[in-house]
Amino acid sequence: MAKAKREATEKIKLVDVIIELVDARIPESSRNPVISEIIGQKPTILVLNKADLADSQATQAWLNYYKSQGQRAVAIDAQHNKGIRGLQQEIQDVMQPYFQKQQEKGIKERPIRLMILGIPNSGKSTLINRFVGKNQAQTGNKPGVTKAQRWLKIGKSFELLDTPGILWPKFEDPEVGKKLAVTGAIKDSLLHMDDLALYLLEHLKANEAETLKNRYRLSEADLENLSTVDLLLKITQQMGLRDDYDQASERIIHDFRSHRLGSATLDTPYEAL
Ligand code: G4P
């Protein structure tokens, strides 16, 4: 953790703007606990990635919340290349006052230097690839930059550090741990699959009842009358797995991750609480 923090802090010194990447399904739970310490005063754009997997109303509510806190925030779907232009515009906007001042002093505008920072699996590599596209070009090393740091050119306006800053997730709170596990941010082996499946079923019962019913051929009465544990057992039987609820749990989690159980935001937007 100390090493990751040190490395991220070193990289931050090299850039103008930080893109802090989180998972739109868990925008708060996928933020690193010491992120503000690491970022300091550096302009930052909070990017809610995987918006295609999250509930769109909840994503909008989160964006409204962050903006009300004075935090620049945008939602994207890096995998399907959605929202990338909007993000680039946001970066330009952040830098506008700085370039204005430089221009007044007669200093020519230069490409904006960027880095991506986030916990594992938030989509950092995917976003780097989207940014750079197929015709990626690397600029040479810059003075004061260690040889390992390379800048990827994005058009004329941006340069991106080719390696993202990796932060560790936080999961002292068991509920946050479950959210990180079901979205694939931490290893499954750290938690029991049946606990995770039960957690997911609770959420889906309340928010995605129709999808849940259709996917596992459940009845209205099943959803209304069965406890979550009994629901898991029923789904296990529907899957033809007899009483192997561990395997059924794995399948439910896999279904969730592969978007077969609808769009879901597991962190409730603050304004809805
Ligand atoms: P990282 O560098 O931050 O660790 O994350 P990475 O880009 O490797 O992305 C982690 C997983 O999340 C990948 O899936 C990637 O495809 C997926 N992903 C990234 N951005 C989005 C997005 O906006 N929407 C969706 N739906 N998925 C996204 P994977 O299963 O690990 O690999 P793959 O076989 O799908 O590439």
Side-chain angles (χ1 to χ4, degrees):
M1 284 185 201
K3 187 167 173 250
K5 187 175 171 186
R6 202 169 50 242
E7 282 179 4
T9 311
E10 281 308 307
K11 282 183 184 169
I12 284 169
K13 288 184 193 154
L14 307 172
V15 303
D16 300 307
V17 179
I18 296 163
I19 296 170
E20 184 195 349
L21 206 58
V22 294
D23 185 324
R25 292 168 296 178
I26 48 168
E28 280 297 282
S29 301
S30 58
R31 278 189 112 176
N32 176 272
V34 296
I35 187 85
S36 52
E37 252 176 63
I38 296 176
I39 287 176
Q41 297 302 311
K42 197 67 85 168
T44 305
I45 297 167
L46 183 65
V47 177
L48 279 60
N49 187 34
K50 308 196 185 185
D52 55 314
L53 304 180
D55 176 277
S56 55
Q57 281 184 357
T59 300
Q60 192 52 54
W62 274 117
L63 291 176
N64 294 345
Y65 166 75
Y66 289 122
K67 286 176 189 167
S68 75
Q69 301 295 302
Q71 163 80 67
R72 283 183 184 265
V74 296
I76 65 165
D77 164 4
Q79 192 169 50
H80 306 101
N81 213 1
K82 295 205 174 123
I84 309 298
R85 283 232 180 112
L87 171 58
Q88 294 188 348
Q89 186 57 52
E90 198 75 23
I91 300 166
Q92 302 266 23
D93 292 350
V94 172
M95 290 301 286
Q96 192 50 42
Y98 169 80
F99 283 134
Q100 180 94 32
K101 270 194 199 149
Q102 298 290 88
Q103 216 172 19
E104 283 160 15
K105 288 186 201 157
I107 301 169
K108 235 182 104 199
E109 211 170 291
R110 58 162 178 78
I112 300 170
R113 292 185 199 128
L114 308 168
M115 73 175 284
I116 297 172
L117 186 65
I119 67 167
N121 211 43
S122 52
K124 298 180 294 300
S125 317
T126 309
L127 181 57
I128 290 177
N129 288 334
R130 287 297 162 268
F131 257 149
V132 174
K134 281 189 187 138
N135 305 317
Q136 63 162 283
Q138 290 182 345
T139 68
N141 290 323
K142 296 231 155 85
V145 178
T146 60
K147 283 222 165 64
Q149 308 284 7
R150 286 197 165 273
W151 296 92
L152 305 170
K153 263 187 183 297
I154 308 171
K156 286 191 181 131
S157 308
F158 306 104
E159 285 178 0
L160 175 68
L161 265 189
D162 73 338
T163 50
I166 301 169
L167 298 174
W168 62 100
K170 50 170 179 181
F171 47 100
E172 296 93 22
D173 175 350
E175 170 122 0
V176 172
K178 284 179 196 169
K179 292 176 184 180
L180 288 165
V182 293
T183 54
I186 58 173
K187 284 203 177 77
D188 293 340
S189 54
L190 292 173
L191 291 146
H192 294 292
M193 291 310 245
D194 52 343
D195 274 348
L196 293 184
L198 289 172
Y199 168 77
L200 258 187
L201 288 178
E202 279 288 345
H203 178 88
L204 295 167
K205 248 191 338 181
N207 298 287
E208 286 289 336
E210 276 306 304
T211 318
L212 190 59
K213 249 170 46 188
N214 294 338
R215 177 78 194 159
Y216 302 124
R217 290 171 289 119
L218 301 167
S219 67
E220 196 72 48
D222 290 335
L223 285 193
E224 268 172 30
N225 304 329
L226 293 180
S227 68
T228 313
V229 172
D230 286 337
L231 198 61
L232 174 58
L233 294 176
K234 173 91 196 226
I235 295 172
T236 308
Q237 284 159 12
Q238 300 286 67
M239 287 175 172
L241 294 171
R242 293 163 177 262
D243 56 1
D244 189 352
Y245 56 84
D246 269 338
Q247 205 188 329
S249 299
E250 264 180 51
R251 282 200 198 169
I252 293 169
I253 293 159
H254 182 262
D255 281 350
F256 176 76
R257 288 183 186 156
S258 49
H259 207 196
R260 292 191 182 97
L261 292 171
S263 304
T265 299
L266 302 174
D267 278 346
T268 311
Y270 288 145
E271 66 181 33
L273 289 174

